Amino acid sequence: SQTIHQWPATLVQPVGSPLSLECTVEGTSNPNLYWYRQAAGRGLQLLFYSVGIGQISSEVPQNLSASRPQDRQFILSSKKLLLSDSGFYLCAWTTGVYGYTFGSGTRLTVV
Amino acid sequence: AQKITQTQPGMFVQEKEAVTLDCTYDTSDQSYGLFWYKQPSSGEMIFLIYQGSYDEQNATEGRYSLNFQKARKSANLVISASQLGDSAMYFCAMRLLSGTYKYIFGTGTRLKVLA
């Protein structure tokens, strides 16, 4: 069966520290992968998407970067976190036939 | 520009009654998909219902139905017989059927079901 794993579930990080959030998909090949961020009480904002290994498209200029080192692995990173990076981060995948399947999310608080 | 608009930041409904959550969209594309997701307080995004732009009949999934009016560019979610467990944030989303399959989300409607 197809599953998506996202970790960690919660994270509290000081300003200026690095960040690495990981997302892996099982049970499918060559998925499109996405990172979304949801600020408190707001909608979802697309940050990055990838249609293949090493292919990353950025939607919003920011302090974050993404990488796809393997077909089913998507990583969101930052070298130095800002307070404004706080939020709920969701990874999602699709092969296009059906809609998104979302991960369980990471709640990031930058202090 | 593509856009999803949800004009109801919050809604209340009495248990066992029906409720309609509004969603309008804007796109110049002919092929697109419309989705509704439920987000409980835990944060997970739960898929509820899908409507394709070429589907002539309104989609239904159990207690959920999508009132699709293409000419008005609206895709309202109707929840029948509301339950306490329906209390959550609801997001309308549009997927462009190009190769990237990116979604555009609305700002959401917070639904509270009253006992």
Side-chain angles (χ1 to χ4, degrees):
Chain A
S1 63
Q2 298 153 339
T3 56
I4 178 169
H5 302 281
Q6 187 180 343
W7 67 94
T10 59
L11 196 56
V12 180
Q13 291 284 98
V15 169
S17 64
L19 173 73
S20 181
L21 303 181
E22 189 163 343
C23 172
T24 60
V25 179
E26 294 179 0
T28 188
S29 297
N30 197 31
N32 282 15
L33 295 169
Y34 309 83
W35 278 111
Y36 281 85
R37 177 171 63 196
Q38 184 180 21
R42 305 286 297 276
L44 277 71
Q45 179 187 38
L46 179 62
L47 301 176
F48 300 95
Y49 68 93
S50 172
V51 299
I53 296 174
Q55 300 180 60
I56 307 295
S57 296
S58 173
E59 289 289 297
V60 181
Q62 63 218 321
N63 186 43
L64 302 169
S65 62
S67 62
R68 184 171 178 174
Q70 300 179 44
D71 181 42
R72 290 170 285 179
Q73 184 184 29
F74 205 22
I75 298 172
L76 183 70
S77 305
S78 173
K79 292 182 179 179
K80 289 185 178 182
L81 284 169
L82 305 172
L83 287 174
S84 58
D85 292 324
S86 293
F88 189 59
Y89 289 81
L90 283 158
C91 178
W93 74 270
T94 183
T95 57
V97 176
Y98 301 108
Y100 280 2
T101 298
F102 284 91
S104 53
T106 296
R107 203 167 298 278
L108 172 66
T109 304
V110 183
V111 296
Chain B
Q2 289 102 2
K3 189 177 180 181
I4 291 281
T5 302
Q6 293 180 255
T7 58
Q8 306 155 312
M11 291 277 288
F12 291 94
V13 64
Q14 207 67 38
E15 194 179 10
K16 299 181 184 178
E17 292 187 350
V19 63
T20 298
L21 306 184
D22 294 341
C23 172
T24 58
Y25 61 92
D26 190 16
T27 180
S28 55
D29 287 17
Q30 297 301 307
S31 295
Y32 50 89
L34 296 161
F35 296 78
W36 278 91
Y37 283 86
K38 172 184 178 181
Q39 187 181 43
S41 57
S42 60
E44 61 184 311
M45 295 288 282
I46 301 169
F47 165 74
L48 295 179
I49 196 165
Y50 165 78
Q51 180 86 38
S53 58
Y54 293 116
D55 295 339
E56 295 188 353
Q57 292 197 338
N58 288 341
T60 59
E61 291 284 348
R63 294 186 299 111
Y64 304 106
S65 61
L66 198 153
N67 185 0
F68 181 47
Q69 298 188 43
K70 194 170 182 177
R72 299 179 64 180
K73 293 190 174 179
S74 73
N76 299 338
L77 176 70
V78 181
I79 305 175
S80 62
S82 296
Q83 302 172 355
L84 295 178
D86 293 334
S87 294
M89 195 77 166
Y90 289 81
F91 290 99
C92 179
M94 178 169 61
R95 182 185 72 187
L96 305 178
L97 297 179
S98 61
T100 62
Y101 302 112
K102 293 189 291 184
Y103 277 35
I104 302 167
F105 284 84
T107 52
T109 296
R110 185 169 299 281
L111 177 67
K112 175 71 174 176
V113 180
L114 305 173

